[in-house]
Amino acid sequence: MSAQCQILVIDDDERLRSLISSYLTQEGFNVSVTGDSEEAFLIIYEKDPHLIILDINLPGANGLTICRKLRHTGIVTPIIMLTARGDDSDRIYGLEIGADDYLTKPFNPRELVARIRAVLRRQSIAGFSLFETESIVYKFGRFVLDLKKQSLAKNGEDIHISGAEFALLRLLISEVGKPISRDQLVARMTSKEHHPDQRGIDMLVFRLRKRLDDRETLGGMIRTLRGVGYIFVADVSTEKGA
């Protein structure tokens, strides 16, 4: 599970960041670190990590504020929150606003790894239930979207894509050539685990365009309809998968 799995550690304690990064790297994870909340958002939008380890007591925008902002913008990346306090109110509030787990400092690094793997397993199971399990493959340009495998490939090579990005691309392709409003996308993307808003949809489209090397031009695959929403215009063929 850890192979090619990207973890972002957000903590202003440089020594702890280094220790966590070293331990997770030894366990086979790819790790990015920052102690700055503004830089954290840049890394999240650029690298789209599989999981975020988030200190609650950051200077400036604290961990609770960051967690709440991520969830309000439709980003459902799993979050494990860290705190030096054992205050139940912080723990409960963190879980209420969308954190997936909670760990109080000091902690055993082995426990952190166990919690990371548990959260990723839960996300994998929940994410799979969001999509159809039929064996259908969509082909468009140099890309292949496999519903059964929940994978996106370009020229035969897999491309990392988050569950939310996969769901949005699948919706756009299923309505190829038809305009879809942001409200419709919000409604169809909403589930027990996922509560996007229009800004969240726009950010997912931005990230999808990067995955697809797509530009917002007349020749692009995902085109913006001002005041309406989006339309997917690539030539799409459909076939049964393995």
Side-chain angles (χ1 to χ4, degrees):
M1 180 183 295
S2 58
Q4 303 302 312
C5 187
Q6 181 72 41
I7 306 291
L8 172 60
V9 180
I10 309 172
D11 196 305
D12 64 328
D13 184 332
E14 185 176 355
R15 179 175 174 276
L16 182 60
R17 285 201 312 267
S18 179
L19 288 173
I20 293 175
S21 177
S22 295
Y23 194 85
L24 294 184
T25 300
Q26 290 174 15
E27 292 293 318
F29 295 98
N30 294 324
V31 184
S32 299
V33 299
T34 182
D36 181 82
S37 58
E38 293 186 6
E39 184 182 28
F41 283 104
L42 294 175
I43 295 173
I44 291 167
Y45 293 141
E46 176 66 27
K47 295 194 174 183
D48 188 21
H50 293 83
L51 184 139
I52 299 168
I53 298 171
L54 176 59
D55 181 26
I56 201 171
N57 295 318
L58 291 170
N62 66 24
L64 294 173
T65 300
I66 292 173
C67 179
R68 187 168 56 247
K69 183 175 179 180
L70 290 174
R71 295 306 186 237
H72 282 177
T73 55
I75 296 174
V76 295
T77 305
I79 296 172
I80 296 178
M81 302 202 77
L82 306 179
T83 182
R85 300 181 305 215
D87 192 332
D88 282 347
S89 63
D90 281 344
R91 177 178 60 81
I92 294 169
Y93 182 61
L95 295 173
E96 286 177 341
I97 63 175
D100 295 85
D101 205 349
Y102 202 95
L103 200 55
T104 302
K105 302 175 184 177
F107 53 84
N108 188 316
R110 289 180 59 191
E111 181 179 3
L112 176 60
V113 170
R115 288 176 181 265
I116 289 172
R117 289 178 172 152
V119 168
L120 291 175
R121 280 197 300 269
R122 291 200 302 269
Q123 187 207 33
S124 177
I125 293 169
F128 189 79
S129 68
L130 292 175
F131 311 115
E132 298 179 31
T133 57
E134 55 189 330
S135 298
I136 291 180
V137 173
Y138 292 107
K139 295 184 177 181
F140 53 101
R142 295 170 291 169
F143 298 91
V144 174
L145 186 74
D146 191 316
L147 297 193
K148 184 72 174 181
K149 296 178 180 177
Q150 294 189 51
S151 64
L152 175 67
K154 175 183 177 182
N155 296 329
E157 295 187 8
D158 286 340
I159 298 173
H160 166 64
I161 184 170
S162 70
E165 291 165 2
F166 181 95
L168 179 58
L169 181 56
R170 191 257 184 269
L171 283 176
L172 291 170
I173 287 179
S174 69
E175 301 289 344
V176 61
K178 299 178 183 178
I180 310 178
S181 72
R182 289 177 174 85
D183 285 339
Q184 289 174 318
L185 290 171
V186 167
R188 294 177 66 178
M189 290 280 291
T190 296
S191 67
K192 183 178 179 181
E193 297 86 8
H194 190 203
H195 308 278
D197 58 13
Q198 291 192 6
R199 176 170 167 74
I201 294 296
D202 291 341
M203 185 53 64
L204 285 174
V205 169
F206 172 78
R207 296 210 307 251
L208 266 183
R209 283 179 170 141
K210 292 182 67 176
R211 306 276 184 246
L212 301 175
D213 298 324
D214 194 24
R215 299 218 190 318
E216 189 180 355
T217 65
L218 290 178
M221 289 183 279
I222 304 175
R223 298 183 189 172
T224 301
L225 301 178
R226 303 299 177 188
V228 179
Y230 297 99
I231 184 171
F232 194 82
V233 296
D235 292 327
V236 179
S237 63
T238 306
E239 61 185 49
K240 287 289 184 181

